[in-house]
Amino acid sequence: MSLTQLNIHQFRNIHSARLQFDAGLNLICGENGSGKTSVLEAIYFLGMGRSFRSHLSQRVIQFDANELTLFAELNQPEGNMKLGLRRYRSGDIDVRLQGEKLKRLSELAETLPIQVITPESFSLLFEGPKARRQFIDWGAFHSDHQFHGVWGNVRRILKQRNQLLKQQASQDTLKVWDAELVRYTEAVTEIRSHYVDSLNAVLTGIIDKFLPQVEVKISFTQGWDKKTPYATVLYSQYQRDLAAGHTSSGAHKADLRLRVGNLPVQDALSRGQLKLLVCALRIAQGKLLKQQIDKSSVYLVDDLPSELDSKHRQLLLSQLLETEAQVFVTAIEPTAITDSLHSPPAQMFHMEQGNVTVKDATSL
């Protein structure tokens, strides 16, 4: 799967642009503020319905416009597809695939699986469990079609249960909700656990290349003591949950634990090694997706030269190209990327004040 064409209108500092992409490596160069990251953000927005740079989607709409429009043509195994998105300043969104309006934004993610590697993506290892849960759930969502529904049910029941706890509901009142919560939580946990096991099988070889002589152990923590049935946990923690006004244990507390020996990777590895570990995690996810459902991810790699030295830039780029996925990389100077490649990028663009021009990569 690859993007063959992208039309951008009134997105960030790009008033209007039409880009033709290659299925391989697409290099986007330009000074800071030129709009190169906005191209990656537009691709992400088209695949997720939101930005990876801001939680406020209205901020990506040009200040004097009421809406933004993104339109893409995708090359899929089953044939070419057209995908369009319009986001209004009011917050409304209109998404269409092959002219048909999509009811759920999750259908975007199914159509266009995206992996992002940016300077900010390294927070995966430094922030709380939420970012790592989202990492697991990206893979669980794509590998098991039941995941989206059962995880949605867990969140819905948790919301209701927490409201009842705030109202000081009795344990008998919670019984019906708890029975449903246990059923869906166990289903979510099984899918997540299976996914992490599958990811580990792919990840080991990749980590060996990125971090030789470092043994990283990755394990899934389900959000409560795995030796205790979840129904027992809910029953025994009732008084604690009642006092807190929320459910203290469950699938919403799951995490991905990464350790070197007995130490968390944050304490055992240097900052540079942690960056490489995140790259390995993202590449492993893409490779596993290809193995499981024969679908390729689209990789968005922003400001790669500032994060890695020449040796590791070359390693990352070679590993990305090995996935045979479509890759978009930004850099201020093209030579920072081309010097790490054995052959020129398939397509190269130059951004300046929101305007894009195609460059001849073979001339570098």
Side-chain angles (χ1 to χ4, degrees):
M1 192 282 299
S2 61
L3 279 156
T4 57
Q5 179 182 315
L6 176 65
N7 294 353
I8 306 172
H9 296 283
Q10 298 171 323
F11 188 97
R12 293 286 190 186
N13 64 337
I14 303 175
H15 179 71
S16 182
R18 183 174 182 271
L19 300 95
Q20 301 278 350
F21 298 129
D22 189 90
L25 176 60
N26 298 269
L27 176 58
I28 305 168
C29 301
E31 296 295 326
N32 289 331
S34 63
K36 59 185 187 295
T37 301
S38 296
V39 175
L40 301 192
E41 189 180 10
I43 296 171
Y44 186 89
F45 206 101
L46 189 61
M48 299 295 289
R50 55 185 170 85
S51 167
F52 65 77
R53 298 168 69 188
S54 172
H55 295 297
L56 302 174
S57 295
Q58 290 87 342
R59 289 186 177 179
V60 303
I61 303 172
Q62 285 197 331
F63 72 93
D64 58 347
N66 291 320
E67 64 195 48
L68 65 86
T69 304
L70 303 170
F71 174 80
E73 293 186 6
L74 311 178
N75 183 12
Q76 301 270 32
E78 58 270 25
N80 292 335
M81 302 180 71
K82 295 182 178 181
L83 178 63
L85 180 150
R86 181 167 289 148
R87 180 68 186 241
Y88 299 90
R89 194 169 293 280
S90 64
D92 294 336
I93 188 167
D94 182 15
V95 185
R96 296 180 184 269
L97 180 63
Q98 295 291 75
E100 296 292 327
K101 189 169 184 176
L102 299 185
K103 296 179 180 179
R104 298 181 292 109
L105 286 179
S106 61
E107 294 179 68
L108 279 177
E110 292 174 12
T111 304
L112 192 60
I114 293 175
Q115 290 283 354
V116 182
I117 300 175
T118 72
E120 291 76 25
S121 64
F122 302 114
S123 63
L124 175 69
L125 301 178
F126 293 100
E127 291 184 354
K130 182 179 178 180
R132 292 184 291 278
R133 265 196 311 277
Q134 290 174 340
F135 173 84
I136 298 170
D137 290 351
W138 186 96
F141 169 81
H142 285 289
S143 64
D144 193 313
H145 70 275
Q146 296 183 42
F147 179 79
H148 181 72
V150 292
W151 179 225
N153 283 327
V154 168
R155 289 180 293 177
R156 175 181 58 81
I157 297 168
L158 274 173
K159 183 178 180 180
Q160 182 63 42
R161 188 178 195 269
N162 290 342
Q163 287 177 346
L164 289 171
L165 287 168
K166 289 182 175 69
Q167 296 166 9
Q168 299 293 294
S170 68
Q171 201 158 18
D172 283 341
T173 303
L174 293 177
K175 278 184 179 180
V176 175
W177 294 100
D178 286 0
E180 287 292 283
L181 181 58
V182 168
R183 181 163 71 94
Y184 288 118
T185 294
E186 289 176 347
V188 163
T189 301
E190 183 178 354
I191 295 171
R192 283 173 169 172
S193 180
H194 178 71
Y195 177 74
V196 174
D197 287 344
S198 300
L199 183 68
N200 262 321
V202 176
L203 188 59
T204 302
I206 299 173
I207 288 181
D208 287 344
K209 294 178 181 178
F210 278 92
L211 297 169
Q213 301 176 337
V214 176
E215 185 178 353
V216 179
K217 296 179 180 178
I218 299 176
S219 59
F220 170 65
T221 58
Q222 60 186 22
W224 73 94
D225 183 1
K226 63 181 181 180
K227 297 178 182 178
T228 307
Y230 188 47
T232 303
V233 170
L234 289 176
Y235 182 83
S236 63
Q237 291 186 352
Y238 167 71
Q239 290 296 337
R240 174 184 172 183
D241 291 350
L242 196 67
H246 61 81
T247 308
S248 55
S249 299
H252 59 299
K253 297 291 185 179
D255 198 358
L256 192 68
R257 182 173 295 171
L258 301 97
R259 305 181 76 84
V260 175
N262 294 322
L263 292 175
V265 291
Q266 299 93 321
D267 298 332
L269 301 181
S270 68
R271 181 168 174 81
Q273 288 174 316
L274 290 170
K275 293 174 183 178
L276 292 171
L277 178 56
V278 171
C279 293
L281 287 166
R282 295 296 182 188
I283 290 173
Q285 274 201 324
K287 286 190 173 183
L288 182 57
L289 181 70
K290 182 69 174 175
Q291 289 179 15
Q292 290 180 326
I293 61 172
D294 195 26
K295 181 174 281 190
S296 296
S297 301
V298 172
Y299 281 90
L300 309 178
V301 187
D302 191 31
D303 202 18
L304 184 145
S306 71
E307 294 298 327
L308 301 171
D309 59 29
S310 176
K311 173 186 174 182
H312 290 115
R313 282 200 301 271
Q314 184 174 3
L315 176 61
L316 173 59
L317 288 167
S318 67
Q319 287 294 300
L320 285 170
L321 295 175
E322 268 188 32
T323 67
E324 299 182 352
Q326 188 175 32
V327 181
F328 296 86
V329 177
T330 68
I332 295 176
E333 293 294 335
T335 53
I337 301 300
T338 56
D339 287 353
S340 299
L341 298 170
H342 296 299
S343 58
Q347 189 73 283
M348 189 170 80
F349 306 90
H350 181 261
M351 297 293 301
E352 186 174 357
Q353 295 181 346
N355 298 309
V356 59
T357 54
V358 179
K359 294 293 184 180
D360 181 9
T362 62
S363 64
L364 295 175

